[in-house]
């Protein structure tokens, strides 16, 4: 088995993660802009990309295990590269570094999106609580009257 299939899978996986990153950016922008229909579309796109990312991860793991078994080493990219010709190793190392970069970008954006959603949830709960409190104030007790 050559390292070419693993290299291609690393590149595909990186591409999928970068697509996921772009979708999370659009989700954050839609959330801030209050564009609910766009959020729904992006959730569907995120689900589709997540399935593709999982499939690529499974394939990458299988290819790495098979190649590592053939080379007589652990199924870790650095170990595999240590047993390959220099040019193949360099290509795999670069693809691995690019994949890690995509993972970092996606994690950072997902963290921002999570923080933003938590802030919105807290604000919504606070507003609902205040509206409920106002609704419980009897009319004529010093509060305001919303009747016209």
């Amino acid at each position: 088995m050559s390292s070419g299939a693993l290299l291609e899978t690393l590149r595909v996986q990186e591409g999928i993660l970068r697509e996921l990153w772009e979708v999370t950016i659009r989700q954050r922008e839609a959330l801030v802009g209050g564009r609910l229909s766009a959020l729904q579309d992006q959730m569907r796109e995120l689900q589709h990309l997540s399935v593709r990312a999982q499939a690529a991860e499974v394939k990458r793991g299988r290819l790495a295990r098979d190649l590592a078994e053939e080379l007589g080493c652990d199924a870790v990219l650095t170990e595999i590269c240590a047993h390959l010709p220099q040019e193949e190793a360099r290509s795999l190392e670069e693809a691995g570094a690019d994949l890690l970069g995509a993972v970092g970008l996606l994690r950072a954006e997902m963290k921002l999106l999570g923080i933003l959603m938590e802030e919105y949830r807290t604000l919504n709960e606070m507003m609902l609580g205040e509206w409920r409190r106002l609704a419980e104030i009897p009319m004529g007790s010093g509060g305001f009257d919303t009747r016209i």
Side-chain angles (χ1 to χ4, degrees):
M1 169 184 230
S2 76
S3 62
L6 180 58
L7 177 62
E8 179 61 25
T9 301
L10 287 168
R11 289 180 176 155
V12 166
Q13 192 173 14
E14 178 208 352
I16 294 168
L17 293 183
R18 288 192 183 272
E19 286 181 65
L20 280 165
W21 172 65
E22 291 170 0
V23 170
T24 57
I25 289 172
R26 290 195 310 268
Q27 281 183 317
R28 180 174 42 86
E29 291 169 348
L31 185 62
V32 169
R35 297 185 317 267
L36 296 180
S37 64
L39 276 171
Q40 291 171 336
D41 292 342
Q42 288 151 5
M43 285 305 294
R44 283 189 291 275
E45 188 176 356
L46 189 68
Q47 289 170 339
H48 171 72
L49 288 169
S50 293
V51 169
R52 287 181 52 210
Q54 289 174 337
E57 176 67 18
V58 168
K59 182 176 181 181
R60 182 183 62 81
R62 181 180 44 80
L63 291 171
R65 282 189 304 277
D66 292 350
L67 185 56
E69 185 178 317
E70 183 180 307
L71 296 170
C73 65
D74 290 334
V76 177
L77 194 59
T78 54
E79 289 289 318
I80 291 171
C81 289
H83 290 82
L84 291 173
Q86 187 176 8
E87 190 61 34
E88 283 183 59
R90 186 176 6 204
S91 294
L92 276 179
E93 287 168 347
E94 288 173 3
D98 291 344
L99 178 59
L100 285 176
V103 167
L105 288 173
L106 181 57
R107 280 184 179 161
E109 189 60 38
M110 289 181 83
K111 183 175 181 178
L112 285 174
L113 185 59
I115 290 169
L116 184 61
M117 287 190 300
E118 183 62 29
E119 287 175 357
Y120 278 20
R121 184 186 66 78
T122 301
L123 179 61
N124 283 337
E125 288 174 356
M126 184 178 72
M127 290 177 66
L128 281 171
E130 187 61 21
W131 278 106
R132 287 179 183 131
R133 187 188 69 73
L134 287 172
E136 293 173 358
I137 296 174
M139 296 301 163
S141 65
F144 68 91
D145 191 349
T146 58
R147 293 176 289 171
I148 297 180

